[in-house]
Amino acid sequence: SPVRRKVEEQRNLLLDIYSEVVEPHFKEDPNFGAANFAWSYSLLLSRAVSSFKDQIPFGLVPVLDFFNHCTPSSYAGYCMFEFNHEDESYHVVSTVDVAKGQQLFISYGKLCNGDLLRKYGFCVPHNPYNTVSVDGIVGTGIPAKFVCNMEGEIDVESSSNETQVDDYDSNIMRRQLETFLNRYGTSLEDDITKLMQLRAHQHDLQTIGKELESDQYAHIYALLLRIGEKETLKACLEKL
């Protein structure tokens, strides 16, 4: 899965930051190793709020970090939030009428499930922002990386000679996407069936006041991730 590559890239980045910036100042402290640094870094970023529009790169905002994520069209309790420079506080405003006791949500950004899982530890079903990064070869052997989205669009993320996607051979692109899709060990239909089984089991447990085990939640998120990636690749194949 492309998310695994991003996790490895992030792990290597954290190790570099630790060895070059942090470790020289904590050599005598055995309790602050690379693992603790990675944990604290992830803890911070998973709760930090950033808004370049409001000139706030990162900030920890009590109460605002209680809000769960949703896409604007997926929940009735969706809210907008922005920083008010006059009173130096965040204002949260619902975009629709909200019933008493209804949960409120904000958006963490237009993030695909892979990024949501890496940064916040969860995935959402039917995520309209799902994307898949695919490495491939174009033209006469030019290495390139392209990004597929849920609309079936393919954009060039990087190329050694800045080749435009319109210049790519659609047959070559199709073979590359099919090869990538075939790397998964399960089919889309199998993943959907397994997800439905886990959701049904979750519902049965909730009726008796119980919850799934943590590894079962992890399985659900892994399925949502794979389903979103496969649906994205299939959407692009259908448009080629």
Side-chain angles (χ1 to χ4, degrees), residues 6-44:
K6 289 186 177 182
V7 168
E8 292 172 350
E9 291 173 353
Q10 185 171 1
R11 180 187 295 116
N12 292 334
L13 173 62
L14 289 178
L15 289 175
D16 288 342
I17 294 175
Y18 176 79
S19 61
E20 296 177 11
V21 179
V22 179
E23 188 176 24
H25 301 285
F26 291 89
K27 286 183 177 180
E28 307 303 323
D29 188 350
N31 297 316
F32 200 76
N36 280 342
F37 169 71
W39 173 82
S40 58
Y41 180 92
S42 299
L43 185 68
L44 174 65

mmCIF file of all heavy atoms in Angstrom, residues 6-44:
data_model
loop_
_atom_site.group_PDB
_atom_site.id
_atom_site.type_symbol
_atom_site.label_atom_id
_atom_site.label_comp_id
_atom_site.label_asym_id
_atom_site.label_seq_id
_atom_site.Cartn_x
_atom_site.Cartn_y
_atom_site.Cartn_z
ATOM 1 N N LYS A 6 4.846 5.957 2.770
ATOM 2 C CA LYS A 6 4.843 7.256 3.447
ATOM 3 C C LYS A 6 5.203 7.110 4.921
ATOM 4 O O LYS A 6 5.868 7.971 5.501
ATOM 5 C CB LYS A 6 3.477 7.925 3.293
ATOM 6 C CG LYS A 6 3.193 8.403 1.884
ATOM 7 C CD LYS A 6 1.893 9.177 1.821
ATOM 8 C CE LYS A 6 1.634 9.717 0.429
ATOM 9 N NZ LYS A 6 0.387 10.519 0.365
ATOM 10 N N VAL A 7 4.749 6.015 5.549
ATOM 11 C CA VAL A 7 5.098 5.769 6.952
ATOM 12 C C VAL A 7 6.602 5.585 7.097
ATOM 13 O O VAL A 7 7.223 6.119 8.020
ATOM 14 C CB VAL A 7 4.339 4.538 7.486
ATOM 15 C CG1 VAL A 7 4.907 4.096 8.835
ATOM 16 C CG2 VAL A 7 2.854 4.845 7.626
ATOM 17 N N GLU A 8 7.192 4.837 6.172
ATOM 18 C CA GLU A 8 8.635 4.617 6.218
ATOM 19 C C GLU A 8 9.392 5.922 5.992
ATOM 20 O O GLU A 8 10.408 6.180 6.645
ATOM 21 C CB GLU A 8 9.025 3.575 5.173
ATOM 22 C CG GLU A 8 8.504 2.177 5.493
ATOM 23 C CD GLU A 8 8.732 1.186 4.374
ATOM 24 O OE1 GLU A 8 9.123 1.639 3.264
ATOM 25 O OE2 GLU A 8 8.522 -0.015 4.584
ATOM 26 N N GLU A 9 8.904 6.759 5.075
ATOM 27 C CA GLU A 9 9.542 8.054 4.836
ATOM 28 C C GLU A 9 9.468 8.933 6.082
ATOM 29 O O GLU A 9 10.442 9.605 6.442
ATOM 30 C CB GLU A 9 8.878 8.751 3.646
ATOM 31 C CG GLU A 9 9.143 8.081 2.315
ATOM 32 C CD GLU A 9 8.338 8.703 1.189
ATOM 33 O OE1 GLU A 9 7.473 9.565 1.483
ATOM 34 O OE2 GLU A 9 8.557 8.340 0.015
ATOM 35 N N GLN A 10 8.298 8.921 6.750
ATOM 36 C CA GLN A 10 8.137 9.736 7.952
ATOM 37 C C GLN A 10 9.013 9.205 9.087
ATOM 38 O O GLN A 10 9.600 9.986 9.839
ATOM 39 C CB GLN A 10 6.676 9.756 8.390
ATOM 40 C CG GLN A 10 6.405 10.685 9.573
ATOM 41 C CD GLN A 10 4.925 10.851 9.845
ATOM 42 O OE1 GLN A 10 4.096 10.263 9.177
ATOM 43 N NE2 GLN A 10 4.593 11.642 10.837
ATOM 44 N N ARG A 11 9.121 7.883 9.209
ATOM 45 C CA ARG A 11 9.966 7.300 10.244
ATOM 46 C C ARG A 11 11.427 7.699 10.031
ATOM 47 O O ARG A 11 12.128 8.075 10.982
ATOM 48 C CB ARG A 11 9.837 5.774 10.235
ATOM 49 C CG ARG A 11 10.687 5.090 11.302
ATOM 50 C CD ARG A 11 10.676 3.590 11.177
ATOM 51 N NE ARG A 11 9.359 3.046 11.419
ATOM 52 C CZ ARG A 11 8.641 2.397 10.515
ATOM 53 N NH1 ARG A 11 9.113 2.233 9.290
ATOM 54 N NH2 ARG A 11 7.459 1.920 10.832
ATOM 55 N N ASN A 12 11.882 7.638 8.792
ATOM 56 C CA ASN A 12 13.266 8.026 8.502
ATOM 57 C C ASN A 12 13.499 9.503 8.778
ATOM 58 O O ASN A 12 14.568 9.887 9.273
ATOM 59 C CB ASN A 12 13.596 7.708 7.045
ATOM 60 C CG ASN A 12 13.643 6.209 6.762
ATOM 61 O OD1 ASN A 12 13.911 5.415 7.672
ATOM 62 N ND2 ASN A 12 13.384 5.821 5.531
ATOM 63 N N LEU A 13 12.493 10.334 8.469
ATOM 64 C CA LEU A 13 12.618 11.763 8.749
ATOM 65 C C LEU A 13 12.741 12.015 10.249
ATOM 66 O O LEU A 13 13.585 12.802 10.698
ATOM 67 C CB LEU A 13 11.407 12.510 8.190
ATOM 68 C CG LEU A 13 11.305 14.003 8.542
ATOM 69 C CD1 LEU A 13 12.488 14.766 7.971
ATOM 70 C CD2 LEU A 13 9.990 14.589 8.045
ATOM 71 N N LEU A 14 11.915 11.327 11.045
ATOM 72 C CA LEU A 14 11.965 11.504 12.497
ATOM 73 C C LEU A 14 13.300 11.037 13.066
ATOM 74 O O LEU A 14 13.851 11.668 13.979
ATOM 75 C CB LEU A 14 10.816 10.748 13.154
ATOM 76 C CG LEU A 14 9.417 11.328 12.950
ATOM 77 C CD1 LEU A 14 8.372 10.447 13.614
ATOM 78 C CD2 LEU A 14 9.330 12.739 13.495
ATOM 79 N N LEU A 15 13.821 9.956 12.538
ATOM 80 C CA LEU A 15 15.117 9.467 13.006
ATOM 81 C C LEU A 15 16.220 10.467 12.687
ATOM 82 O O LEU A 15 17.140 10.682 13.490
ATOM 83 C CB LEU A 15 15.427 8.107 12.378
ATOM 84 C CG LEU A 15 14.576 6.931 12.881
ATOM 85 C CD1 LEU A 15 14.899 5.674 12.086
ATOM 86 C CD2 LEU A 15 14.803 6.704 14.365
ATOM 87 N N ASP A 16 16.138 11.095 11.511
ATOM 88 C CA ASP A 16 17.129 12.110 11.142
ATOM 89 C C ASP A 16 17.024 13.330 12.062
ATOM 90 O O ASP A 16 18.050 13.869 12.511
ATOM 91 C CB ASP A 16 16.924 12.545 9.687
ATOM 92 C CG ASP A 16 17.343 11.476 8.692
ATOM 93 O OD1 ASP A 16 18.087 10.558 9.098
ATOM 94 O OD2 ASP A 16 16.900 11.534 7.524
ATOM 95 N N ILE A 17 15.797 13.771 12.335
ATOM 96 C CA ILE A 17 15.609 14.918 13.221
ATOM 97 C C ILE A 17 16.136 14.601 14.609
ATOM 98 O O ILE A 17 16.823 15.423 15.242
ATOM 99 C CB ILE A 17 14.114 15.314 13.295
ATOM 100 C CG1 ILE A 17 13.635 15.833 11.935
ATOM 101 C CG2 ILE A 17 13.886 16.377 14.380
ATOM 102 C CD1 ILE A 17 12.148 16.115 11.902
ATOM 103 N N TYR A 18 15.838 13.406 15.075
ATOM 104 C CA TYR A 18 16.296 13.018 16.414
ATOM 105 C C TYR A 18 17.818 12.991 16.500
ATOM 106 O O TYR A 18 18.403 13.575 17.424
ATOM 107 C CB TYR A 18 15.734 11.653 16.791
ATOM 108 C CG TYR A 18 16.260 11.164 18.118
ATOM 109 C CD1 TYR A 18 15.737 11.646 19.310
ATOM 110 C CD2 TYR A 18 17.298 10.237 18.175
ATOM 111 C CE1 TYR A 18 16.236 11.223 20.533
ATOM 112 C CE2 TYR A 18 17.806 9.800 19.393
ATOM 113 C CZ TYR A 18 17.274 10.310 20.563
ATOM 114 O OH TYR A 18 17.770 9.891 21.779
ATOM 115 N N SER A 19 18.464 12.341 15.544
ATOM 116 C CA SER A 19 19.917 12.182 15.615
ATOM 117 C C SER A 19 20.664 13.490 15.406
ATOM 118 O O SER A 19 21.714 13.711 16.013
ATOM 119 C CB SER A 19 20.386 11.146 14.591
ATOM 120 O OG SER A 19 20.061 11.564 13.269
ATOM 121 N N GLU A 20 20.115 14.394 14.573
ATOM 122 C CA GLU A 20 20.825 15.621 14.256
ATOM 123 C C GLU A 20 20.465 16.801 15.160
ATOM 124 O O GLU A 20 21.295 17.682 15.389
ATOM 125 C CB GLU A 20 20.549 16.009 12.795
ATOM 126 C CG GLU A 20 21.080 14.992 11.789
ATOM 127 C CD GLU A 20 20.726 15.351 10.362
ATOM 128 O OE1 GLU A 20 20.249 16.495 10.154
ATOM 129 O OE2 GLU A 20 20.909 14.518 9.469
ATOM 130 N N VAL A 21 19.224 16.812 15.682
ATOM 131 C CA VAL A 21 18.765 17.982 16.437
ATOM 132 C C VAL A 21 18.537 17.672 17.915
ATOM 133 O O VAL A 21 18.960 18.440 18.788
ATOM 134 C CB VAL A 21 17.457 18.543 15.823
ATOM 135 C CG1 VAL A 21 16.972 19.749 16.616
ATOM 136 C CG2 VAL A 21 17.659 18.892 14.355
ATOM 137 N N VAL A 22 17.890 16.549 18.188
ATOM 138 C CA VAL A 22 17.458 16.269 19.556
ATOM 139 C C VAL A 22 18.514 15.536 20.372
ATOM 140 O O VAL A 22 18.836 15.932 21.494
ATOM 141 C CB VAL A 22 16.149 15.443 19.539
ATOM 142 C CG1 VAL A 22 15.703 15.131 20.970
ATOM 143 C CG2 VAL A 22 15.069 16.200 18.788
ATOM 144 N N GLU A 23 19.063 14.481 19.818
ATOM 145 C CA GLU A 23 19.978 13.618 20.581
ATOM 146 C C GLU A 23 21.166 14.364 21.179
ATOM 147 O O GLU A 23 21.547 14.085 22.327
ATOM 148 C CB GLU A 23 20.459 12.471 19.698
ATOM 149 C CG GLU A 23 21.260 11.426 20.473
ATOM 150 C CD GLU A 23 21.650 10.253 19.606
ATOM 151 O OE1 GLU A 23 21.721 10.427 18.363
ATOM 152 O OE2 GLU A 23 21.900 9.169 20.157
ATOM 153 N N PRO A 24 21.776 15.333 20.471
ATOM 154 C CA PRO A 24 22.920 16.035 21.075
ATOM 155 C C PRO A 24 22.594 16.718 22.395
ATOM 156 O O PRO A 24 23.490 16.919 23.222
ATOM 157 C CB PRO A 24 23.297 17.060 19.996
ATOM 158 C CG PRO A 24 22.845 16.443 18.719
ATOM 159 C CD PRO A 24 21.564 15.733 19.071
ATOM 160 N N HIS A 25 21.321 17.063 22.629
ATOM 161 C CA HIS A 25 20.936 17.757 23.857
ATOM 162 C C HIS A 25 20.444 16.805 24.946
ATOM 163 O O HIS A 25 20.231 17.228 26.080
ATOM 164 C CB HIS A 25 19.837 18.780 23.550
ATOM 165 C CG HIS A 25 20.232 19.815 22.553
ATOM 166 N ND1 HIS A 25 21.081 20.866 22.853
ATOM 167 C CD2 HIS A 25 19.931 19.951 21.237
ATOM 168 C CE1 HIS A 25 21.269 21.615 21.775
ATOM 169 N NE2 HIS A 25 20.580 21.084 20.778
ATOM 170 N N PHE A 26 20.238 15.526 24.614
ATOM 171 C CA PHE A 26 19.688 14.576 25.588
ATOM 172 C C PHE A 26 20.526 13.305 25.697
ATOM 173 O O PHE A 26 20.018 12.250 26.029
ATOM 174 C CB PHE A 26 18.252 14.204 25.213
ATOM 175 C CG PHE A 26 17.260 15.316 25.375
ATOM 176 C CD1 PHE A 26 17.012 16.186 24.324
ATOM 177 C CD2 PHE A 26 16.595 15.510 26.572
ATOM 178 C CE1 PHE A 26 16.098 17.223 24.460
ATOM 179 C CE2 PHE A 26 15.679 16.547 26.722
ATOM 180 C CZ PHE A 26 15.433 17.411 25.661
ATOM 181 N N LYS A 27 21.817 13.425 25.440
ATOM 182 C CA LYS A 27 22.671 12.245 25.479
ATOM 183 C C LYS A 27 22.708 11.595 26.854
ATOM 184 O O LYS A 27 22.853 10.380 26.971
ATOM 185 C CB LYS A 27 24.089 12.622 25.051
ATOM 186 C CG LYS A 27 24.250 12.865 23.563
ATOM 187 C CD LYS A 27 25.698 13.153 23.208
ATOM 188 C CE LYS A 27 25.866 13.320 21.707
ATOM 189 N NZ LYS A 27 27.277 13.612 21.324
ATOM 190 N N GLU A 28 22.579 12.400 27.884
ATOM 191 C CA GLU A 28 22.681 11.877 29.243
ATOM 192 C C GLU A 28 21.345 11.396 29.799
ATOM 193 O O GLU A 28 21.282 10.922 30.933
ATOM 194 C CB GLU A 28 23.253 12.967 30.171
ATOM 195 C CG GLU A 28 24.571 13.580 29.687
ATOM 196 C CD GLU A 28 25.650 12.539 29.492
ATOM 197 O OE1 GLU A 28 25.695 11.587 30.305
ATOM 198 O OE2 GLU A 28 26.447 12.676 28.539
ATOM 199 N N ASP A 29 20.283 11.522 29.033
ATOM 200 C CA ASP A 29 18.957 11.128 29.518
ATOM 201 C C ASP A 29 18.524 9.821 28.843
ATOM 202 O O ASP A 29 18.117 9.818 27.688
ATOM 203 C CB ASP A 29 17.934 12.223 29.220
ATOM 204 C CG ASP A 29 16.577 11.945 29.867
ATOM 205 O OD1 ASP A 29 16.383 10.832 30.373
ATOM 206 O OD2 ASP A 29 15.726 12.846 29.867
ATOM 207 N N PRO A 30 18.597 8.685 29.543
ATOM 208 C CA PRO A 30 18.250 7.394 28.937
ATOM 209 C C PRO A 30 16.760 7.248 28.662
ATOM 210 O O PRO A 30 16.342 6.347 27.927
ATOM 211 C CB PRO A 30 18.709 6.375 29.986
ATOM 212 C CG PRO A 30 18.634 7.122 31.282
ATOM 213 C CD PRO A 30 18.994 8.549 30.955
ATOM 214 N N ASN A 31 15.929 8.123 29.247
ATOM 215 C CA ASN A 31 14.482 8.023 29.072
ATOM 216 C C ASN A 31 13.972 8.718 27.823
ATOM 217 O O ASN A 31 12.786 8.621 27.493
ATOM 218 C CB ASN A 31 13.767 8.600 30.295
ATOM 219 C CG ASN A 31 14.074 7.826 31.558
ATOM 220 O OD1 ASN A 31 14.073 6.604 31.543
ATOM 221 N ND2 ASN A 31 14.336 8.542 32.647
ATOM 222 N N PHE A 32 14.853 9.455 27.149
ATOM 223 C CA PHE A 32 14.406 10.199 25.970
ATOM 224 C C PHE A 32 15.158 9.708 24.742
ATOM 225 O O PHE A 32 16.032 10.381 24.212
ATOM 226 C CB PHE A 32 14.594 11.704 26.156
ATOM 227 C CG PHE A 32 13.748 12.525 25.220
ATOM 228 C CD1 PHE A 32 12.391 12.682 25.454
ATOM 229 C CD2 PHE A 32 14.295 13.103 24.087
ATOM 230 C CE1 PHE A 32 11.603 13.417 24.581
ATOM 231 C CE2 PHE A 32 13.509 13.848 23.211
ATOM 232 C CZ PHE A 32 12.164 14.005 23.458
ATOM 233 N N GLY A 33 14.797 8.514 24.306
ATOM 234 C CA GLY A 33 15.397 7.947 23.111
ATOM 235 C C GLY A 33 14.593 8.261 21.869
ATOM 236 O O GLY A 33 13.629 9.034 21.896
ATOM 237 N N ALA A 34 14.958 7.630 20.757
ATOM 238 C CA ALA A 34 14.292 7.888 19.486
ATOM 239 C C ALA A 34 12.817 7.492 19.530
ATOM 240 O O ALA A 34 11.964 8.169 18.965
ATOM 241 C CB ALA A 34 15.013 7.138 18.370
ATOM 242 N N ALA A 35 12.501 6.387 20.223
ATOM 243 C CA ALA A 35 11.112 5.932 20.291
ATOM 244 C C ALA A 35 10.233 6.933 21.033
ATOM 245 O O ALA A 35 9.114 7.239 20.601
ATOM 246 C CB ALA A 35 11.038 4.565 20.961
ATOM 247 N N ASN A 36 10.739 7.473 22.151
ATOM 248 C CA ASN A 36 9.957 8.457 22.909
ATOM 249 C C ASN A 36 9.792 9.756 22.128
ATOM 250 O O ASN A 36 8.751 10.413 22.205
ATOM 251 C CB ASN A 36 10.620 8.739 24.259
ATOM 252 C CG ASN A 36 10.326 7.661 25.279
ATOM 253 O OD1 ASN A 36 9.394 6.890 25.108
ATOM 254 N ND2 ASN A 36 11.130 7.592 26.322
ATOM 255 N N PHE A 37 10.829 10.128 21.401
ATOM 256 C CA PHE A 37 10.737 11.336 20.585
ATOM 257 C C PHE A 37 9.675 11.168 19.497
ATOM 258 O O PHE A 37 8.850 12.064 19.277
ATOM 259 C CB PHE A 37 12.077 11.667 19.940
ATOM 260 C CG PHE A 37 11.999 12.747 18.894
ATOM 261 C CD1 PHE A 37 11.758 14.061 19.256
ATOM 262 C CD2 PHE A 37 12.132 12.441 17.543
ATOM 263 C CE1 PHE A 37 11.658 15.062 18.296
ATOM 264 C CE2 PHE A 37 12.044 13.429 16.579
ATOM 265 C CZ PHE A 37 11.810 14.746 16.951
ATOM 266 N N ALA A 38 9.678 10.010 18.819
ATOM 267 C CA ALA A 38 8.685 9.758 17.766
ATOM 268 C C ALA A 38 7.278 9.762 18.347
ATOM 269 O O ALA A 38 6.338 10.291 17.731
ATOM 270 C CB ALA A 38 8.975 8.423 17.087
ATOM 271 N N TRP A 39 7.112 9.192 19.547
ATOM 272 C CA TRP A 39 5.795 9.169 20.190
ATOM 273 C C TRP A 39 5.324 10.587 20.519
ATOM 274 O O TRP A 39 4.177 10.949 20.241
ATOM 275 C CB TRP A 39 5.869 8.337 21.471
ATOM 276 C CG TRP A 39 4.616 8.395 22.297
ATOM 277 C CD1 TRP A 39 3.473 7.669 22.119
ATOM 278 C CD2 TRP A 39 4.363 9.250 23.418
ATOM 279 N NE1 TRP A 39 2.525 8.013 23.054
ATOM 280 C CE2 TRP A 39 3.044 8.987 23.874
ATOM 281 C CE3 TRP A 39 5.133 10.204 24.090
ATOM 282 C CZ2 TRP A 39 2.492 9.652 24.957
ATOM 283 C CZ3 TRP A 39 4.575 10.867 25.172
ATOM 284 C CH2 TRP A 39 3.265 10.577 25.596
ATOM 285 N N SER A 40 6.198 11.404 21.103
ATOM 286 C CA SER A 40 5.802 12.758 21.481
ATOM 287 C C SER A 40 5.548 13.627 20.250
ATOM 288 O O SER A 40 4.633 14.452 20.247
ATOM 289 C CB SER A 40 6.883 13.398 22.370
ATOM 290 O OG SER A 40 8.127 13.435 21.710
ATOM 291 N N TYR A 41 6.335 13.429 19.211
ATOM 292 C CA TYR A 41 6.154 14.181 17.962
ATOM 293 C C TYR A 41 4.787 13.856 17.349
ATOM 294 O O TYR A 41 4.037 14.750 16.956
ATOM 295 C CB TYR A 41 7.284 13.825 16.995
ATOM 296 C CG TYR A 41 7.239 14.526 15.657
ATOM 297 C CD1 TYR A 41 7.926 15.726 15.463
ATOM 298 C CD2 TYR A 41 6.534 14.000 14.580
ATOM 299 C CE1 TYR A 41 7.903 16.372 14.233
ATOM 300 C CE2 TYR A 41 6.501 14.638 13.358
ATOM 301 C CZ TYR A 41 7.182 15.821 13.192
ATOM 302 O OH TYR A 41 7.146 16.448 11.962
ATOM 303 N N SER A 42 4.450 12.559 17.297
ATOM 304 C CA SER A 42 3.170 12.138 16.733
ATOM 305 C C SER A 42 2.013 12.633 17.596
ATOM 306 O O SER A 42 0.967 13.037 17.077
ATOM 307 C CB SER A 42 3.125 10.610 16.615
ATOM 308 O OG SER A 42 4.146 10.148 15.759
ATOM 309 N N LEU A 43 2.189 12.586 18.911
ATOM 310 C CA LEU A 43 1.149 13.057 19.825
ATOM 311 C C LEU A 43 0.865 14.542 19.599
ATOM 312 O O LEU A 43 -0.292 14.976 19.560
ATOM 313 C CB LEU A 43 1.583 12.819 21.266
ATOM 314 C CG LEU A 43 0.557 13.148 22.355
ATOM 315 C CD1 LEU A 43 -0.610 12.182 22.298
ATOM 316 C CD2 LEU A 43 1.217 13.101 23.729
ATOM 317 N N LEU A 44 1.921 15.316 19.418
ATOM 318 C CA LEU A 44 1.775 16.752 19.200
ATOM 319 C C LEU A 44 1.059 17.045 17.883
ATOM 320 O O LEU A 44 0.071 17.791 17.843
ATOM 321 C CB LEU A 44 3.144 17.420 19.212
ATOM 322 C CG LEU A 44 3.184 18.907 18.849
ATOM 323 C CD1 LEU A 44 2.449 19.735 19.891
ATOM 324 C CD2 LEU A 44 4.627 19.388 18.707
#
